[in-house]
Amino acid sequence: MGTDLFVVSPLLPFISKAYEISPATAGWMVTVFAVTYACSAPLFGWLSDKKGRRRFITFGLLLFAISNALTAFASSFLWLIVSRILAGLSVASVTPLIYAIIGDIAPPNRRGTWLSIVVSGHLTALWAGAPFGTLLEHFFGWRSVFVVMAIIGAILVVVNLKTWKSISKSDLTRNPLEGNTLRILGSISVTTIWAISIYALYVYLGAALYSENRFSSSEIALAITFYGVGAVLGSLTSGQLTDKFGERKISKATLIFLALILICLGVFFSSGYWIYFLLFIWALVGYAGFTSYQARLTMEYPKERGIVMAWNNTALYIGITIGSLIGGYVISNWGYTSLPYVCSMAAIMSFVLSTQKVQEAKKESESSVDI
C-alpha cells in the first residue's frame, strides 16, 4: 500500500517525459489518488464496522492489483489518472481498517509501540519499495514498477482471504460522531497541516533533486532510501518515547523540531551529498510526530476509535492533496528551493493548533473534575 503512493514521487520525471507533460502536471497522479482516498476512507471505515473488515480488505487488494495493471499499460495520461483514482479507492478500503484493528487490540500501555510498528511497516515502502521501484525504472522502465505491484497485489488477495477469517463483524448501533464532530475535526486538522509540511516537498522530491542537484535515478533512489530509513526509525523511536513520556509531549516536541529541520533543509538543499543526511533527519523527526499523534488520537477517543482513525487517514490524504497543489504552485512560481520554507511554516501552524487542542483537553478535564 505504501509503495503505491511513495514510489510515484521519484518516478515523476520519467512519467512526465513519457507523456510529454510538466512535473507539476504529473503531480496530479498523487492529487487524484489522495482525493479519492479522502472521500472514500470514512465510508469504508463505517461499512467495515457493520459488515466486517475481511471483505473490504480483500476487495481493496483485488482493486489494487487491477489499478496498478491499468497504470502500467495506460495509453494516455487520462487513463493514467483513472488508474490512480482506482488505486486511491483500493488503499482506502485497506489502510484505515488496519490502524483501527491495532488501536482496538493493543494493550493501553503499549499502544504507542504497537502503532509505531504498523506505521513503520507502511513506511518501509520509503526505504525499500520506492528505491527498488526507482531501480526497476532504471533497468526496465517505469511501467515495470506497477506491473510488479499488480502481481504482488494479486498474491495478497489470496493471503488475506485466509488471514482475516477469524475477524468477526461488529454491530454498530450508534453514531460514534454524535456530539463529537467539531472536536474530532479540530483534532484531525493537525494531521492535515502536518501532511502539508511533509508532502508539499516530498511529492516533488525526485524532480527537485534532479533539477537542483542533477541527481541520477540511482542517486535519487539512494536519497529516498535515506529518507525512508529515517521515517521508519522515527516511527519506531516515537513509539517507545510515547509510551514513556506521553503522547502529547512527544507530538508537540517533534513538530517544533520538524519546523527547524525544514529551514535547515531549505538552506542546504543544493549542497550536494549533504542532502542525504538532511533528508534522513527530516523524515526521522516528521514521522516520529505522526506516530505519536496517532497514539494520542486512539487515547483521546476510545469509544470512537474506528471512525476517528478512518477520519484521521482522510485528513492525512487531504493534507497530501493540498500539499501537492501547494508544491506545484510554489515550484511553478518560485522554484524547488522555496518548498522547504513553505513546509516549515505549515509545521509551525500544526504545532500551534496541536497546542490549542491540548489546552482545550485540559479545560475539559478540569471541568469534569469540578463537576
Side-chain angles (χ1 to χ4, degrees):
M1 296 289 113
T3 298
D4 196 56
L5 171 65
F6 295 133
V7 79
V8 173
S9 174
L11 296 180
L12 277 183
F14 314 105
I15 295 174
S16 60
K17 183 178 180 181
Y19 290 97
E20 298 181 347
I21 55 178
S22 68
T25 302
W28 277 92
M29 292 176 62
V30 178
T31 302
V32 297
F33 180 103
V35 168
T36 304
Y37 186 107
C39 293
S40 56
L43 175 63
F44 283 118
W46 179 75
L47 287 174
S48 69
D49 285 336
K50 295 277 291 182
K51 306 295 183 181
R53 312 199 193 282
R54 178 173 177 244
R55 67 177 64 185
F56 292 105
I57 291 175
T58 304
F59 162 77
L61 287 167
L62 180 61
L63 186 59
F64 179 82
I66 294 172
S67 63
N68 277 280
L70 182 58
T71 300
F73 299 107
S75 57
S76 66
F77 185 65
L78 175 61
W79 278 110
L80 192 69
I81 291 296
V82 171
S83 73
R84 301 325 294 161
I85 293 174
L86 294 177
L89 189 66
S90 72
V91 177
S93 66
V94 178
T95 304
L97 309 191
I98 303 300
Y99 286 116
I101 290 172
I102 295 302
D104 289 337
I105 67 175
N109 64 336
R110 297 285 291 166
R111 190 171 291 126
T113 299
W114 283 37
L115 280 170
S116 73
I117 293 172
V118 176
V119 174
S120 68
H122 186 74
L123 296 176
T124 297
L126 285 169
W127 67 267
F132 179 71
T134 308
L135 291 176
L136 270 180
E137 185 283 326
H138 179 72
F139 291 104
F140 302 107
W142 66 267
R143 295 180 189 273
S144 66
V145 178
F146 297 98
V147 171
V148 170
M149 286 199 292
I151 293 172
I152 295 175
I155 295 172
L156 289 177
V157 170
V158 179
V159 173
N160 279 266
L161 273 173
K162 297 182 178 180
T163 300
W164 303 108
K165 267 186 177 180
S166 61
I167 305 298
S168 59
K169 66 180 181 179
S170 60
D171 183 20
L172 187 64
T173 59
R174 56 180 286 270
N175 179 11
L177 294 178
E178 186 177 355
N180 286 315
T181 303
L182 291 179
R183 182 180 170 221
I184 292 172
L185 290 176
S187 295
I188 65 175
S189 64
V190 176
T191 298
T192 297
I193 302 176
W194 172 88
I196 293 173
S197 73
I198 296 293
Y199 290 97
L201 174 57
Y202 179 80
V203 167
Y204 301 98
L205 184 58
L209 292 173
Y210 177 79
S211 174
E212 300 299 322
N213 293 286
R214 295 301 174 187
F215 276 12
S216 64
S217 59
S218 60
E219 288 173 323
I220 293 174
L222 182 60
I224 299 296
T225 300
F226 270 85
Y227 180 93
V229 171
V232 172
L233 290 179
S235 176
L236 291 174
T237 302
S238 173
Q240 300 290 335
L241 293 175
T242 295
D243 288 335
K244 185 174 182 179
F245 297 105
E247 298 87 352
R248 291 170 180 164
K249 289 182 180 179
I250 299 302
S251 62
K252 287 195 298 178
T254 51
L255 285 171
I256 285 294
F257 282 112
L258 177 60
L260 295 175
I261 289 299
L262 282 164
I263 293 174
C264 292
L265 189 61
V267 173
F268 298 104
F269 194 86
S270 302
S271 60
Y273 294 118
W274 273 103
I275 195 70
Y276 294 132
F277 173 74
L278 293 172
L279 291 176
F280 172 83
I281 298 298
W282 173 37
L284 180 78
V285 174
Y287 284 95
F290 177 72
T291 301
S292 61
Y293 197 72
Q294 293 251 93
R296 175 180 164 183
L297 289 176
T298 62
M299 180 270 293
E300 292 185 348
Y301 298 97
K303 296 180 180 179
E304 307 91 354
R305 189 171 290 140
I307 297 297
V308 168
M309 295 309 290
W311 275 102
N312 190 55
N313 276 263
T314 293
L316 172 66
Y317 279 84
I318 289 175
I320 294 174
T321 303
I322 297 173
S324 65
L325 292 173
I326 290 175
Y329 179 83
V330 170
I331 63 176
S332 298
N333 290 274
W334 301 298
Y336 292 105
T337 55
S338 299
L339 281 175
Y341 301 109
V342 174
C343 292
S344 180
M345 293 172 59
I348 293 172
M349 291 174 59
S350 185
F351 168 78
V352 172
L353 185 58
S354 176
T355 303
Q356 182 64 30
K357 298 314 295 181
V358 170
Q359 291 173 347
E360 289 181 7
K362 287 181 179 178
K363 290 179 181 178
E364 290 178 5
S365 176
E366 291 171 357
S367 298
S368 63
V369 171
D370 294 337
I371 292 173

